[in-house]
Amino acid sequence: MNHFDYVNGQMQAESVKIADIAARVGTPFYCYSTATLQRHYKVFAQALADAGLDAQICFALKANSNIAVIRTFAELGAGADVVSEGELRRALAAGVPADKIVFSGVGKTEAELVLAVSKGIMQVNVESEPELEALSKIAAERGVRMPVSIRVNPDVDAGTHAKITTGKKENKFGIEWTRAHEVYTKARALPGIDVVGVACHIGSQLTEVEPFRQAFLRVRDLVAMLRADGFDIRRLDVGGGLGIPYESEEPPHPDVYAKAIKDTLGDLGCKIVLEPGRLLVGNAGILVSTVIYVKEGATRTFLIADAAMNDLMRPALYEAHHTIEPVTQPKADAPRQPVDVVGPVCETGDTFAKQRSLPPIKPGDLIVFRTAGAYGAAMSSTYNTRPLVPEVLVNGADYAVVRARPSFDEMLALESVPDWLK
Ligand code: LLP
């Protein structure tokens, strides 16, 4: 469900014509729908409430870290899951209360831990023994005990793309669940650590509920073991990872996911912390681009767009599918032809789609890449000295540029020529 639809033959974001935004902002740009963001959050929150869970949703900023997007969720009660100093600063700047912020990640620096402690965030999800010791030292020096969940690696196959699976024992994440008890025992002895919970996150874009259940059952066993040993486990962070439909996937509805949490962890009396990213923002964003040329190659036709792999990396990185549609609605009987949709970047990997069946599209036409709200703008780069593309947030009939396109002067001003080259 999203709010990007054709109205009178023209694609709109809510009540705003995409073509109107393009005329003002220029392409490429990302466009987000407030109504879709809000809807996704509410459906997810309602599913958790209906299952009778005491839950805190901490939006995973890595999926989309635009401050206006974060604030949209914060207004609905969301916290934040952050993985860097930059994300922590963004969450705070967007108005997320510190006591709703979870700090995840396998390699937090000392500076990051100092910031987390000094801001008094809800909890740090610790992923290794050296990190536990570093955090304890920092907290103890400041006279506090930092609330900590230890991220366990349940060794469960999430059945997702190899590059985004995180809960297998060969992955770099968390502490092997078989060793977790030992590490909790060490944590308890540290002066700056207050052990409050268990965390796990097994991967992203999961389209089945079963791997979640398996992981949660392992968490459940661990909680029983820890409680028997006197630990006061009161929070369970179940991570993110619930998938969305990009093409023909049929991921479980939030109700099914919430029920799996309820069935496996619901009777433990713990607060459930969730870190959804993609689910909340994926379908709430599109990337809008102009076709620059249509090139007839030796064996195929190329649509060359002004967006490129640096703007939306997912196809190049994971061979991910993004539905491509023209902004002007094609006639129902328009002939379709297989084309390769590519960007201008100088490598073959800069391909959004191969042999995609599309209606006639000519140079100058606007096209959209759907389901680009998650890991789109957030993963973009300036490769080929292409400026980061603007982000636009639509709200009903209103819209605002929520991140401006940097000028070339601004980009070049970050660099300098050393004395010996002057
Ligand atoms: N929590 C932790 C600890 C994570 O590592 C992640 C994602 C999330 C939550 C949010 O997961 P989500 O609900 O969005 O699935 N760039 C890739 C996805 C990388 C996911 C990394 N971790 C992509 O474009 O598919």
Side-chain angles (χ1 to χ4, degrees), residues 60 62 81 151 164 201 204 241 275 277-278 314 318 375 379:
K62 63 170 78 68
D81 165 41
R151 176 169 173 183
I164 53 175
H201 169 82
S204 194
E275 305 170 353
R278 189 190 312 268
R314 304 192 68 260
Y318 318 114
Y375 306 107
M379 290 176 74

Side-chain angles (χ1 to χ4, degrees), residues 12-73:
Q12 293 189 179
E14 304 188 27
S15 306
V16 182
K17 285 198 179 73
I18 297 296
D20 288 351
I21 306 176
R24 207 185 99 197
V25 175
T27 57
F29 66 93
Y30 277 96
C31 179
Y32 310 129
S33 154
T34 300
T36 314
L37 295 170
Q38 290 174 336
R39 191 191 132 82
H40 286 178
Y41 184 87
K42 287 178 184 164
V43 167
F44 194 62
Q46 193 60 49
L48 300 167
D50 288 349
L53 294 166
D54 173 18
Q56 174 62 53
I57 300 173
C58 291
F59 168 52
L61 258 57
K62 63 170 78 68
N64 186 322
S65 51
N66 187 283
I67 289 174
V69 171
I70 304 167
R71 189 185 296 250
T72 302
F73 291 135

Side-chain angles (χ1 to χ4, degrees), residues 238-373:
V238 296
L242 189 54
I244 60 172
Y246 283 92
E247 194 176 4
S248 53
E249 305 91 330
E250 288 180 6
H253 187 274
D255 287 339
V256 175
Y257 173 72
K259 186 169 182 307
I261 300 173
K262 178 72 180 173
D263 291 349
T264 51
L265 305 171
D267 61 345
L268 298 177
C270 289
K271 176 140 207 131
I272 305 291
V273 179
L274 302 105
E275 305 170 353
R278 189 190 312 268
L279 178 81
L280 298 182
V281 289
N283 281 315
I286 57 174
L287 173 63
V288 183
S289 173
T290 304
V291 173
I292 313 173
Y293 299 114
V294 177
K295 173 171 162 174
E296 296 300 337
T299 58
R300 46 182 78 190
T301 302
F302 296 99
L303 287 193
I304 305 175
D306 66 356
M309 63 188 286
N310 67 297
D311 305 313
L312 177 61
M313 277 182 75
R314 304 192 68 260
L317 206 52
Y318 318 114
E319 274 146 23
H321 175 100
H322 287 268
T323 296
I324 301 171
E325 285 171 356
V327 165
T328 300
Q329 188 171 22
K331 292 206 173 60
D333 60 354
R336 296 191 164 248
Q337 188 201 343
V339 294
D340 282 15
V341 182
V342 301
V345 162
C346 306
E347 50 183 288
T348 303
D350 186 22
T351 297
F352 291 113
K354 286 185 189 154
Q355 296 300 281
R356 186 73 63 84
S357 176
L358 290 180
I361 293 174
K362 49 183 198 318
D365 286 357
L366 293 169
I367 56 171
V368 307
F369 298 86
R370 283 192 176 265
T371 326

Side-chain angles (χ1 to χ4, degrees), residues 93-146:
V96 179
D99 64 3
K100 288 186 184 175
I101 299 178
V102 175
F103 201 142
S104 304
V106 71
K108 305 173 198 81
T109 65
E110 187 179 336
E112 289 174 329
L113 293 175
V114 167
L115 188 69
V117 170
S118 65
K119 296 291 180 189
I121 68 166
M122 176 167 105
Q123 74 185 41
V124 175
N125 289 352
V126 170
E127 300 216 16
S128 67
E129 289 153 281
E131 185 191 345
L132 258 183
E133 279 155 27
L135 178 60
S136 175
K137 183 161 175 286
I138 290 163
E141 277 167 8
R142 286 160 181 77
V144 293
R145 292 175 84 93
M146 195 61 195

Side-chain angles (χ1 to χ4, degrees), residues 205-221:
Q205 184 54 15
L206 270 73
T207 52
E208 302 291 339
V209 78
E210 195 46 37
F212 286 119
R213 292 182 67 90
Q214 285 172 24
F216 299 160
L217 285 171
R218 293 209 151 155
V219 169
R220 181 188 177 81
D221 290 347

